[in-house]
Amino acid sequence: MEPAARAGSALLKLAADKALLIALVYLLLGLLWILGSDSALNALFTDPDLVARMQTWKGWFYVALTAALLYVVLYRVLRSEAAQLLRQSRQREDLSLLNQFRESIIDNANIWINVLDAQARITVWNKAAEQISGYRRDEVIGGDGIWTLLYPDEDYRNDIARRVRAILEEGLEVEGFETRMRCRDGGYKIISWNQRRFFSENGELGSIAIGQDVTERKRLQQELERMAVHDPLTGLCNRREFEALAGARFADCVAEGRPFSMLWVDIDGFKGVNDRFGHRVGDEVLRGIADVLREAVGEHGIAARYGGDELVVALPACTATEARAMGEEVRGRVQHAALLEACGEQGVLVTVSVGAAEGDGSVADLAALVSAADKAMYRAKASGRNRVCGPED
C-alpha cells in the first residue's frame, strides 16, 4: 500500500474510534442520568402523581439539555468542516495557480525541459525543446519515437537508452552529460543534460531532463583550442605545438629504431615581396605556401610555421632520401603556384629554399635535428636559392 493510502486509512480509523468513544460516553451518561434522576425523585417526593409529573419535566429537561449540547457539538464540528472545506477550496485554487505558473515557467524556460514516464515516453516537451529540436510538442507527446529521430545511430541511441534506464530504475543522477543530436533541419547540436528521476504524488515513476544547447560554446571552445596550437595566419601548427608533437614522435622513432627527418623551408626574397607589394600580399604568399606544404605533406608529417617566413616539416619514419624528395615536391609546387599573379606581376615567381636532415646517432634530440635542417637550408640559399640541400651538400 502506498504511503498516502496508509495515512488515509489511519485517519479514518482514528475518526471511527473517536465517534465510538463519544457514543459510549453519551450512552453511559444517559444511563447514569436516568437511574440517578429516578432515584432522586423517589427519595424527594412521595406523591406518585407529582413524581410522574417531575419525571416528565425531567425527560423534557434531558431532551433540551442534550439538544443544546448536540447543537454546540454539531456547530463546532460543522463550522470546523466548513472552514476546512474553505481551506481546501483555497488550496485547490492556489495549487491550480501554482501548477499553471509552474507549467508556464517550464514551457517558457529558455532551456530544454522534458519529462519522461517509466516507459521513457514523453509527457512534457517545452517550447525550448521544440525550438532546439525542430519537433513540435504534439508530434512527440505520449510516444518514444522521437529518440530514433534525434539519435539515428542505433548504437549511440542504445547507449543513451541504457543511461536513461539507469536513471529510472537505479536512481542514477546525471549532470553535464553531453549528447550530439540530429535536429529536424538535418543539423546537429550538442546538448548538455542534467537528469534525475522522481515520484509523483500518486507514486508514479518518471524522470525530468533539463538540457542546455552548448553547440556554440563547444564551437568557440574548439576554436580557442585550435587557436592555441595553430598559427592564425597560415593555419599550420605553431612552434609550441610543433615541438610537442614532433618531440613525441621523434622519441617514438628513436625508441623503435626508425628514421626521422626534418625539412626547413624558407621563402626566398620574402622581405622584397613585403617591401614591394605590402604586407597584405606577403601574408597571402605565406598562406599560399602553407597550403602547398599542407597538401604535399598530407598525413605523412607535421607542418608548422616556426617563425616569420620560416616553415618546418617533421617527417616521422622518413629517410633523408624520402625527405629530400618531399622537399623537391614542395619546391616545385611553390615555383609553379604563381602566387603573385593576383598582383598583376606575370612571370614573377616566388621560390623557396629547403634544408633536409635526418636524425642519426649524432643527433641527440629534436632541437639538434631542427638546427641541422636549418643549416642545410642556408646551404641551399648560398648555392643559389630555389633548391633543396642536405647536411652533406
Side-chain angles (χ1 to χ4, degrees):
M1 184 180 293
E2 297 298 333
R6 287 198 298 270
S9 298
L11 289 174
L12 289 174
K13 185 177 184 304
L14 178 62
D17 292 343
K18 285 185 176 180
L20 179 61
L21 178 62
I22 291 172
L24 291 174
V25 170
Y26 178 76
L27 178 62
L28 178 62
L29 290 176
L31 289 173
L32 290 175
W33 170 263
I34 292 172
L35 295 175
S37 61
D38 285 347
S39 298
L41 288 175
N42 289 326
L44 293 173
F45 304 103
T46 58
D47 185 357
D49 293 334
L50 181 60
V51 170
R53 286 197 300 272
M54 293 301 296
Q55 286 179 336
T56 300
W57 284 106
K58 179 198 68 170
W60 284 110
F61 176 76
Y62 180 76
V63 169
L65 179 63
T66 55
L69 291 174
L70 184 62
Y71 171 79
V72 172
V73 171
L74 288 177
Y75 175 76
R76 291 175 62 87
V77 170
L78 292 176
R79 186 178 64 175
S80 175
E81 183 178 347
Q84 185 176 1
L85 290 174
L86 181 59
R87 285 196 301 271
Q88 289 176 349
S89 176
R90 289 175 178 173
Q91 287 174 351
R92 283 194 295 270
E93 292 178 0
D94 292 341
L95 285 174
S96 177
L97 291 174
L98 180 60
N99 287 334
Q100 292 176 17
F101 178 72
R102 182 177 61 187
E103 290 173 2
S104 176
I105 291 294
I106 290 175
D107 198 39
N108 294 292
N110 60 0
I111 55 175
W112 177 315
I113 299 177
N114 69 257
V115 176
L116 308 179
D117 64 12
Q119 286 73 44
R121 294 174 300 203
I122 301 292
T123 59
V124 172
W125 189 264
N126 74 343
K127 290 179 180 177
E130 290 183 321
Q131 294 167 357
I132 294 172
S133 69
Y135 293 98
R136 299 190 313 274
R137 184 177 318 173
D138 57 88
E139 296 177 299
V140 303
I141 290 292
D144 60 0
I146 184 63
W147 307 122
T148 302
L149 299 174
L150 295 177
Y151 303 109
D153 182 87
E154 185 177 1
D155 292 336
Y156 188 50
R157 183 172 65 252
N158 289 339
D159 182 63
I160 296 173
R162 281 192 293 271
R163 193 176 291 262
V164 172
R165 282 196 299 272
I167 293 171
L168 290 169
E169 297 171 5
E170 303 170 17
L172 175 70
E173 293 190 11
V174 169
E175 293 184 4
F177 175 59
E178 294 182 357
T179 66
R180 184 173 181 266
M181 65 170 50
R182 186 178 187 272
C183 301
R184 186 170 206 150
D185 61 6
Y188 283 85
K189 291 184 178 178
I190 300 174
I191 309 297
S192 177
W193 297 101
N194 290 347
Q195 188 169 2
R196 63 186 297 272
R197 75 175 178 180
F198 66 87
F199 292 93
S200 65
E201 293 179 356
N202 56 7
E204 292 181 354
L205 175 66
S207 73
I208 182 169
I210 299 175
Q212 184 176 4
D213 184 358
V214 296
T215 308
E216 183 62 18
R217 188 182 76 189
K218 298 295 286 188
R219 187 193 68 78
L220 291 174
Q221 180 181 337
Q222 291 171 358
E223 179 64 18
L224 289 173
E225 291 174 353
R226 192 195 69 81
M227 290 173 61
V229 297
H230 286 81
D231 173 58
L233 177 61
T234 63
L236 300 176
C237 292
N238 60 24
R239 181 169 179 169
R240 183 179 60 183
E241 180 69 0
F242 172 81
E243 290 177 345
L245 295 177
R249 298 294 297 277
F250 179 80
D252 290 342
C253 287
V254 169
E256 296 166 5
R258 295 189 298 166
F260 191 100
S261 295
M262 185 75 64
L263 295 179
W264 187 291
V265 181
D266 189 87
I267 305 173
D268 296 328
F270 186 65
K271 183 178 183 302
V273 172
N274 278 329
D275 292 343
R276 181 176 176 181
F277 302 107
H279 287 281
R280 184 182 64 81
V281 174
D283 289 347
E284 291 298 327
V285 169
L286 258 175
R287 276 192 285 265
I289 295 176
D291 290 341
V292 169
L293 203 60
R294 194 163 23 240
E295 292 174 5
V297 174
E299 300 296 325
H300 301 293
I302 305 167
R305 184 183 181 191
Y306 210 65
D309 61 336
E310 297 168 332
L311 309 175
V312 293
V313 180
L315 296 169
C318 284
T319 64
T321 301
E322 292 169 330
R324 290 190 66 150
M326 178 71 73
E328 281 292 346
E329 182 180 353
V330 171
R331 186 200 63 76
R333 287 193 183 193
V334 171
Q335 183 175 342
H336 294 94
L339 296 175
L340 289 176
E341 277 190 357
C343 302
E345 296 293 331
Q346 301 293 332
V348 179
L349 300 178
V350 175
T351 61
V352 294
S353 296
V354 182
E358 180 185 354
D360 54 26
S362 63
V363 179
D365 53 26
L366 182 68
L369 184 57
V370 170
S371 177
D374 182 29
K375 292 176 182 178
M377 181 273 297
Y378 276 108
R379 276 191 287 275
K381 293 274 191 185
S383 300
R385 301 183 178 180
N386 191 25
R387 64 191 64 215
V388 179
C389 284
E392 306 302 325
D393 294 326

PDB file of all heavy atoms in Angstrom, residues 144-172:
ATOM      1  N   ASP A 144       7.708   7.450 -27.755  1.00  0.00           N
ATOM      2  CA  ASP A 144       9.161   7.459 -27.593  1.00  0.00           C
ATOM      3  C   ASP A 144       9.883   7.406 -28.942  1.00  0.00           C
ATOM      4  O   ASP A 144      11.104   7.229 -28.987  1.00  0.00           O
ATOM      5  CB  ASP A 144       9.612   6.293 -26.712  1.00  0.00           C
ATOM      6  CG  ASP A 144       9.217   4.933 -27.296  1.00  0.00           C
ATOM      7  OD1 ASP A 144       8.599   4.901 -28.382  1.00  0.00           O
ATOM      8  OD2 ASP A 144       9.527   3.914 -26.663  1.00  0.00           O
ATOM      9  N   GLY A 145       9.139   7.579 -30.031  1.00  0.00           N
ATOM     10  CA  GLY A 145       9.762   7.525 -31.359  1.00  0.00           C
ATOM     11  C   GLY A 145      10.680   8.679 -31.657  1.00  0.00           C
ATOM     12  O   GLY A 145      11.519   8.596 -32.571  1.00  0.00           O
ATOM     13  N   ILE A 146      10.573   9.770 -30.881  1.00  0.00           N
ATOM     14  CA  ILE A 146      11.415  10.938 -31.131  1.00  0.00           C
ATOM     15  C   ILE A 146      12.894  10.608 -30.981  1.00  0.00           C
ATOM     16  O   ILE A 146      13.750  11.184 -31.652  1.00  0.00           O
ATOM     17  CB  ILE A 146      11.018  12.091 -30.172  1.00  0.00           C
ATOM     18  CG1 ILE A 146      11.814  13.356 -30.472  1.00  0.00           C
ATOM     19  CG2 ILE A 146      11.205  11.670 -28.724  1.00  0.00           C
ATOM     20  CD1 ILE A 146      11.569  13.923 -31.836  1.00  0.00           C
ATOM     21  N   TRP A 147      13.207   9.642 -30.101  1.00  0.00           N
ATOM     22  CA  TRP A 147      14.624   9.336 -29.849  1.00  0.00           C
ATOM     23  C   TRP A 147      15.283   8.711 -31.073  1.00  0.00           C
ATOM     24  O   TRP A 147      16.479   8.902 -31.300  1.00  0.00           O
ATOM     25  CB  TRP A 147      14.744   8.421 -28.630  1.00  0.00           C
ATOM     26  CG  TRP A 147      14.038   8.967 -27.437  1.00  0.00           C
ATOM     27  CD1 TRP A 147      13.039   8.384 -26.730  1.00  0.00           C
ATOM     28  CD2 TRP A 147      14.245  10.248 -26.823  1.00  0.00           C
ATOM     29  NE1 TRP A 147      12.603   9.199 -25.716  1.00  0.00           N
ATOM     30  CE2 TRP A 147      13.330  10.354 -25.748  1.00  0.00           C
ATOM     31  CE3 TRP A 147      15.108  11.309 -27.072  1.00  0.00           C
ATOM     32  CZ2 TRP A 147      13.258  11.480 -24.935  1.00  0.00           C
ATOM     33  CZ3 TRP A 147      15.035  12.440 -26.266  1.00  0.00           C
ATOM     34  CH2 TRP A 147      14.129  12.513 -25.214  1.00  0.00           C
ATOM     35  N   THR A 148      14.515   7.986 -31.874  1.00  0.00           N
ATOM     36  CA  THR A 148      15.071   7.437 -33.116  1.00  0.00           C
ATOM     37  C   THR A 148      15.402   8.553 -34.093  1.00  0.00           C
ATOM     38  O   THR A 148      16.389   8.470 -34.839  1.00  0.00           O
ATOM     39  CB  THR A 148      14.059   6.465 -33.753  1.00  0.00           C
ATOM     40  OG1 THR A 148      13.760   5.430 -32.816  1.00  0.00           O
ATOM     41  CG2 THR A 148      14.629   5.843 -35.023  1.00  0.00           C
ATOM     42  N   LEU A 149      14.596   9.617 -34.086  1.00  0.00           N
ATOM     43  CA  LEU A 149      14.840  10.748 -34.986  1.00  0.00           C
ATOM     44  C   LEU A 149      16.021  11.584 -34.496  1.00  0.00           C
ATOM     45  O   LEU A 149      16.843  12.035 -35.311  1.00  0.00           O
ATOM     46  CB  LEU A 149      13.583  11.620 -35.077  1.00  0.00           C
ATOM     47  CG  LEU A 149      12.332  10.933 -35.634  1.00  0.00           C
ATOM     48  CD1 LEU A 149      11.128  11.863 -35.533  1.00  0.00           C
ATOM     49  CD2 LEU A 149      12.558  10.517 -37.087  1.00  0.00           C
ATOM     50  N   LEU A 150      16.104  11.785 -33.192  1.00  0.00           N
ATOM     51  CA  LEU A 150      17.179  12.619 -32.653  1.00  0.00           C
ATOM     52  C   LEU A 150      18.520  11.903 -32.645  1.00  0.00           C
ATOM     53  O   LEU A 150      19.574  12.536 -32.794  1.00  0.00           O
ATOM     54  CB  LEU A 150      16.832  13.062 -31.227  1.00  0.00           C
ATOM     55  CG  LEU A 150      15.612  13.980 -31.080  1.00  0.00           C
ATOM     56  CD1 LEU A 150      15.353  14.278 -29.612  1.00  0.00           C
ATOM     57  CD2 LEU A 150      15.812  15.276 -31.859  1.00  0.00           C
ATOM     58  N   TYR A 151      18.492  10.583 -32.462  1.00  0.00           N
ATOM     59  CA  TYR A 151      19.728   9.796 -32.410  1.00  0.00           C
ATOM     60  C   TYR A 151      19.623   8.647 -33.415  1.00  0.00           C
ATOM     61  O   TYR A 151      19.326   7.505 -33.039  1.00  0.00           O
ATOM     62  CB  TYR A 151      19.956   9.256 -30.992  1.00  0.00           C
ATOM     63  CG  TYR A 151      20.011  10.337 -29.941  1.00  0.00           C
ATOM     64  CD1 TYR A 151      18.970  10.498 -29.017  1.00  0.00           C
ATOM     65  CD2 TYR A 151      21.089  11.222 -29.871  1.00  0.00           C
ATOM     66  CE1 TYR A 151      19.012  11.501 -28.058  1.00  0.00           C
ATOM     67  CE2 TYR A 151      21.137  12.218 -28.913  1.00  0.00           C
ATOM     68  CZ  TYR A 151      20.101  12.355 -28.012  1.00  0.00           C
ATOM     69  OH  TYR A 151      20.144  13.344 -27.069  1.00  0.00           O
ATOM     70  N   PRO A 152      19.839   8.931 -34.699  1.00  0.00           N
ATOM     71  CA  PRO A 152      19.630   7.907 -35.736  1.00  0.00           C
ATOM     72  C   PRO A 152      20.603   6.741 -35.651  1.00  0.00           C
ATOM     73  O   PRO A 152      20.292   5.644 -36.107  1.00  0.00           O
ATOM     74  CB  PRO A 152      19.793   8.688 -37.045  1.00  0.00           C
ATOM     75  CG  PRO A 152      20.556   9.922 -36.674  1.00  0.00           C
ATOM     76  CD  PRO A 152      20.192  10.245 -35.275  1.00  0.00           C
ATOM     77  N   ASP A 153      21.785   6.964 -35.083  1.00  0.00           N
ATOM     78  CA  ASP A 153      22.748   5.869 -34.952  1.00  0.00           C
ATOM     79  C   ASP A 153      22.287   4.929 -33.839  1.00  0.00           C
ATOM     80  O   ASP A 153      22.154   5.336 -32.680  1.00  0.00           O
ATOM     81  CB  ASP A 153      24.141   6.416 -34.629  1.00  0.00           C
ATOM     82  CG  ASP A 153      25.184   5.318 -34.539  1.00  0.00           C
ATOM     83  OD1 ASP A 153      25.755   4.948 -35.580  1.00  0.00           O
ATOM     84  OD2 ASP A 153      25.402   4.810 -33.430  1.00  0.00           O
ATOM     85  N   GLU A 154      22.027   3.676 -34.184  1.00  0.00           N
ATOM     86  CA  GLU A 154      21.432   2.741 -33.235  1.00  0.00           C
ATOM     87  C   GLU A 154      22.310   2.490 -32.026  1.00  0.00           C
ATOM     88  O   GLU A 154      21.833   2.453 -30.888  1.00  0.00           O
ATOM     89  CB  GLU A 154      21.110   1.420 -33.941  1.00  0.00           C
ATOM     90  CG  GLU A 154      20.371   0.431 -33.055  1.00  0.00           C
ATOM     91  CD  GLU A 154      19.986  -0.841 -33.788  1.00  0.00           C
ATOM     92  OE1 GLU A 154      20.320  -0.970 -34.993  1.00  0.00           O
ATOM     93  OE2 GLU A 154      19.341  -1.712 -33.175  1.00  0.00           O
ATOM     94  N   ASP A 155      23.608   2.294 -32.241  1.00  0.00           N
ATOM     95  CA  ASP A 155      24.500   2.012 -31.117  1.00  0.00           C
ATOM     96  C   ASP A 155      24.554   3.198 -30.157  1.00  0.00           C
ATOM     97  O   ASP A 155      24.520   3.022 -28.924  1.00  0.00           O
ATOM     98  CB  ASP A 155      25.908   1.689 -31.635  1.00  0.00           C
ATOM     99  CG  ASP A 155      25.948   0.365 -32.385  1.00  0.00           C
ATOM    100  OD1 ASP A 155      25.069  -0.481 -32.133  1.00  0.00           O
ATOM    101  OD2 ASP A 155      26.847   0.187 -33.227  1.00  0.00           O
ATOM    102  N   TYR A 156      24.652   4.387 -30.716  1.00  0.00           N
ATOM    103  CA  TYR A 156      24.694   5.601 -29.893  1.00  0.00           C
ATOM    104  C   TYR A 156      23.382   5.763 -29.133  1.00  0.00           C
ATOM    105  O   TYR A 156      23.377   6.075 -27.941  1.00  0.00           O
ATOM    106  CB  TYR A 156      24.957   6.802 -30.797  1.00  0.00           C
ATOM    107  CG  TYR A 156      25.209   8.105 -30.069  1.00  0.00           C
ATOM    108  CD1 TYR A 156      26.129   8.184 -29.037  1.00  0.00           C
ATOM    109  CD2 TYR A 156      24.533   9.263 -30.423  1.00  0.00           C
ATOM    110  CE1 TYR A 156      26.378   9.378 -28.375  1.00  0.00           C
ATOM    111  CE2 TYR A 156      24.769  10.464 -29.776  1.00  0.00           C
ATOM    112  CZ  TYR A 156      25.689  10.516 -28.752  1.00  0.00           C
ATOM    113  OH  TYR A 156      25.926  11.698 -28.109  1.00  0.00           O
ATOM    114  N   ARG A 157      22.258   5.510 -29.821  1.00  0.00           N
ATOM    115  CA  ARG A 157      20.943   5.629 -29.192  1.00  0.00           C
ATOM    116  C   ARG A 157      20.787   4.608 -28.064  1.00  0.00           C
ATOM    117  O   ARG A 157      20.259   4.926 -26.992  1.00  0.00           O
ATOM    118  CB  ARG A 157      19.856   5.442 -30.238  1.00  0.00           C
ATOM    119  CG  ARG A 157      18.441   5.629 -29.688  1.00  0.00           C
ATOM    120  CD  ARG A 157      17.406   5.616 -30.791  1.00  0.00           C
ATOM    121  NE  ARG A 157      17.311   4.331 -31.478  1.00  0.00           N
ATOM    122  CZ  ARG A 157      17.734   4.094 -32.711  1.00  0.00           C
ATOM    123  NH1 ARG A 157      18.313   5.055 -33.416  1.00  0.00           N
ATOM    124  NH2 ARG A 157      17.593   2.896 -33.272  1.00  0.00           N
ATOM    125  N   ASN A 158      21.238   3.387 -28.282  1.00  0.00           N
ATOM    126  CA  ASN A 158      21.131   2.355 -27.246  1.00  0.00           C
ATOM    127  C   ASN A 158      21.979   2.693 -26.025  1.00  0.00           C
ATOM    128  O   ASN A 158      21.585   2.401 -24.885  1.00  0.00           O
ATOM    129  CB  ASN A 158      21.556   0.997 -27.814  1.00  0.00           C
ATOM    130  CG  ASN A 158      20.537   0.449 -28.803  1.00  0.00           C
ATOM    131  OD1 ASN A 158      19.378   0.840 -28.790  1.00  0.00           O
ATOM    132  ND2 ASN A 158      20.975  -0.444 -29.664  1.00  0.00           N
ATOM    133  N   ASP A 159      23.128   3.315 -26.251  1.00  0.00           N
ATOM    134  CA  ASP A 159      23.975   3.723 -25.130  1.00  0.00           C
ATOM    135  C   ASP A 159      23.267   4.774 -24.282  1.00  0.00           C
ATOM    136  O   ASP A 159      23.294   4.715 -23.040  1.00  0.00           O
ATOM    137  CB  ASP A 159      25.303   4.269 -25.658  1.00  0.00           C
ATOM    138  CG  ASP A 159      26.235   4.673 -24.532  1.00  0.00           C
ATOM    139  OD1 ASP A 159      26.639   3.795 -23.748  1.00  0.00           O
ATOM    140  OD2 ASP A 159      26.554   5.874 -24.435  1.00  0.00           O
ATOM    141  N   ILE A 160      22.612   5.720 -24.937  1.00  0.00           N
ATOM    142  CA  ILE A 160      21.857   6.744 -24.208  1.00  0.00           C
ATOM    143  C   ILE A 160      20.670   6.110 -23.496  1.00  0.00           C
ATOM    144  O   ILE A 160      20.359   6.456 -22.354  1.00  0.00           O
ATOM    145  CB  ILE A 160      21.394   7.850 -25.166  1.00  0.00           C
ATOM    146  CG1 ILE A 160      22.619   8.586 -25.747  1.00  0.00           C
ATOM    147  CG2 ILE A 160      20.466   8.832 -24.470  1.00  0.00           C
ATOM    148  CD1 ILE A 160      22.293   9.575 -26.829  1.00  0.00           C
ATOM    149  N   ALA A 161      19.985   5.162 -24.156  1.00  0.00           N
ATOM    150  CA  ALA A 161      18.830   4.485 -23.553  1.00  0.00           C
ATOM    151  C   ALA A 161      19.236   3.734 -22.291  1.00  0.00           C
ATOM    152  O   ALA A 161      18.490   3.706 -21.304  1.00  0.00           O
ATOM    153  CB  ALA A 161      18.195   3.536 -24.564  1.00  0.00           C
ATOM    154  N   ARG A 162      20.421   3.112 -22.305  1.00  0.00           N
ATOM    155  CA  ARG A 162      20.899   2.405 -21.100  1.00  0.00           C
ATOM    156  C   ARG A 162      21.075   3.381 -19.939  1.00  0.00           C
ATOM    157  O   ARG A 162      20.755   3.070 -18.789  1.00  0.00           O
ATOM    158  CB  ARG A 162      22.220   1.691 -21.405  1.00  0.00           C
ATOM    159  CG  ARG A 162      22.051   0.385 -22.161  1.00  0.00           C
ATOM    160  CD  ARG A 162      23.333  -0.407 -22.169  1.00  0.00           C
ATOM    161  NE  ARG A 162      24.366   0.257 -22.956  1.00  0.00           N
ATOM    162  CZ  ARG A 162      24.549   0.092 -24.251  1.00  0.00           C
ATOM    163  NH1 ARG A 162      23.756  -0.739 -24.922  1.00  0.00           N
ATOM    164  NH2 ARG A 162      25.510   0.719 -24.898  1.00  0.00           N
ATOM    165  N   ARG A 163      21.557   4.563 -20.253  1.00  0.00           N
ATOM    166  CA  ARG A 163      21.748   5.563 -19.197  1.00  0.00           C
ATOM    167  C   ARG A 163      20.400   6.032 -18.637  1.00  0.00           C
ATOM    168  O   ARG A 163      20.236   6.219 -17.430  1.00  0.00           O
ATOM    169  CB  ARG A 163      22.542   6.742 -19.749  1.00  0.00           C
ATOM    170  CG  ARG A 163      23.065   7.697 -18.699  1.00  0.00           C
ATOM    171  CD  ARG A 163      23.908   8.773 -19.352  1.00  0.00           C
ATOM    172  NE  ARG A 163      25.140   8.229 -19.870  1.00  0.00           N
ATOM    173  CZ  ARG A 163      26.314   8.290 -19.228  1.00  0.00           C
ATOM    174  NH1 ARG A 163      26.364   8.832 -18.032  1.00  0.00           N
ATOM    175  NH2 ARG A 163      27.405   7.796 -19.777  1.00  0.00           N
ATOM    176  N   VAL A 164      19.417   6.204 -19.531  1.00  0.00           N
ATOM    177  CA  VAL A 164      18.076   6.621 -19.094  1.00  0.00           C
ATOM    178  C   VAL A 164      17.446   5.540 -18.214  1.00  0.00           C
ATOM    179  O   VAL A 164      16.813   5.835 -17.193  1.00  0.00           O
ATOM    180  CB  VAL A 164      17.182   6.936 -20.311  1.00  0.00           C
ATOM    181  CG1 VAL A 164      15.739   7.176 -19.870  1.00  0.00           C
ATOM    182  CG2 VAL A 164      17.710   8.149 -21.063  1.00  0.00           C
ATOM    183  N   ARG A 165      17.618   4.270 -18.606  1.00  0.00           N
ATOM    184  CA  ARG A 165      17.075   3.184 -17.782  1.00  0.00           C
ATOM    185  C   ARG A 165      17.718   3.164 -16.401  1.00  0.00           C
ATOM    186  O   ARG A 165      17.062   2.889 -15.395  1.00  0.00           O
ATOM    187  CB  ARG A 165      17.288   1.842 -18.489  1.00  0.00           C
ATOM    188  CG  ARG A 165      16.296   1.582 -19.615  1.00  0.00           C
ATOM    189  CD  ARG A 165      16.284   0.119 -20.017  1.00  0.00           C
ATOM    190  NE  ARG A 165      17.591  -0.326 -20.503  1.00  0.00           N
ATOM    191  CZ  ARG A 165      17.989  -0.242 -21.762  1.00  0.00           C
ATOM    192  NH1 ARG A 165      17.174   0.275 -22.672  1.00  0.00           N
ATOM    193  NH2 ARG A 165      19.179  -0.672 -22.133  1.00  0.00           N
ATOM    194  N   ALA A 166      19.005   3.460 -16.342  1.00  0.00           N
ATOM    195  CA  ALA A 166      19.694   3.504 -15.048  1.00  0.00           C
ATOM    196  C   ALA A 166      19.142   4.633 -14.185  1.00  0.00           C
ATOM    197  O   ALA A 166      19.038   4.499 -12.959  1.00  0.00           O
ATOM    198  CB  ALA A 166      21.197   3.679 -15.258  1.00  0.00           C
ATOM    199  N   ILE A 167      18.760   5.738 -14.804  1.00  0.00           N
ATOM    200  CA  ILE A 167      18.152   6.844 -14.063  1.00  0.00           C
ATOM    201  C   ILE A 167      16.812   6.415 -13.484  1.00  0.00           C
ATOM    202  O   ILE A 167      16.518   6.649 -12.313  1.00  0.00           O
ATOM    203  CB  ILE A 167      17.982   8.071 -14.984  1.00  0.00           C
ATOM    204  CG1 ILE A 167      19.357   8.632 -15.383  1.00  0.00           C
ATOM    205  CG2 ILE A 167      17.140   9.148 -14.312  1.00  0.00           C
ATOM    206  CD1 ILE A 167      19.303   9.693 -16.455  1.00  0.00           C
ATOM    207  N   LEU A 168      15.985   5.754 -14.312  1.00  0.00           N
ATOM    208  CA  LEU A 168      14.645   5.356 -13.888  1.00  0.00           C
ATOM    209  C   LEU A 168      14.675   4.208 -12.883  1.00  0.00           C
ATOM    210  O   LEU A 168      13.925   4.208 -11.899  1.00  0.00           O
ATOM    211  CB  LEU A 168      13.810   4.966 -15.105  1.00  0.00           C
ATOM    212  CG  LEU A 168      13.396   6.109 -16.045  1.00  0.00           C
ATOM    213  CD1 LEU A 168      12.825   5.558 -17.337  1.00  0.00           C
ATOM    214  CD2 LEU A 168      12.383   7.022 -15.357  1.00  0.00           C
ATOM    215  N   GLU A 169      15.528   3.224 -13.112  1.00  0.00           N
ATOM    216  CA  GLU A 169      15.497   2.003 -12.307  1.00  0.00           C
ATOM    217  C   GLU A 169      16.409   2.059 -11.085  1.00  0.00           C
ATOM    218  O   GLU A 169      16.105   1.464 -10.051  1.00  0.00           O
ATOM    219  CB  GLU A 169      15.884   0.809 -13.186  1.00  0.00           C
ATOM    220  CG  GLU A 169      14.901   0.553 -14.337  1.00  0.00           C
ATOM    221  CD  GLU A 169      15.410  -0.482 -15.327  1.00  0.00           C
ATOM    222  OE1 GLU A 169      16.486  -1.076 -15.056  1.00  0.00           O
ATOM    223  OE2 GLU A 169      14.751  -0.708 -16.358  1.00  0.00           O
ATOM    224  N   GLU A 170      17.533   2.763 -11.213  1.00  0.00           N
ATOM    225  CA  GLU A 170      18.520   2.756 -10.132  1.00  0.00           C
ATOM    226  C   GLU A 170      18.646   4.098  -9.424  1.00  0.00           C
ATOM    227  O   GLU A 170      19.364   4.217  -8.433  1.00  0.00           O
ATOM    228  CB  GLU A 170      19.889   2.348 -10.689  1.00  0.00           C
ATOM    229  CG  GLU A 170      19.891   0.991 -11.386  1.00  0.00           C
ATOM    230  CD  GLU A 170      21.189   0.733 -12.134  1.00  0.00           C
ATOM    231  OE1 GLU A 170      22.178   1.441 -11.850  1.00  0.00           O
ATOM    232  OE2 GLU A 170      21.218  -0.161 -13.005  1.00  0.00           O
ATOM    233  N   GLY A 171      17.983   5.135  -9.949  1.00  0.00           N
ATOM    234  CA  GLY A 171      18.071   6.452  -9.320  1.00  0.00           C
ATOM    235  C   GLY A 171      19.343   7.196  -9.654  1.00  0.00           C
ATOM    236  O   GLY A 171      19.716   8.149  -8.958  1.00  0.00           O
ATOM    237  N   LEU A 172      20.024   6.788 -10.723  1.00  0.00           N
ATOM    238  CA  LEU A 172      21.236   7.484 -11.141  1.00  0.00           C
ATOM    239  C   LEU A 172      20.902   8.936 -11.478  1.00  0.00           C
ATOM    240  O   LEU A 172      19.906   9.214 -12.144  1.00  0.00           O
ATOM    241  CB  LEU A 172      21.850   6.792 -12.364  1.00  0.00           C
ATOM    242  CG  LEU A 172      23.060   7.472 -13.009  1.00  0.00           C
ATOM    243  CD1 LEU A 172      24.278   7.357 -12.095  1.00  0.00           C
ATOM    244  CD2 LEU A 172      23.368   6.832 -14.367  1.00  0.00           C
TER     245      LEU A 172
END
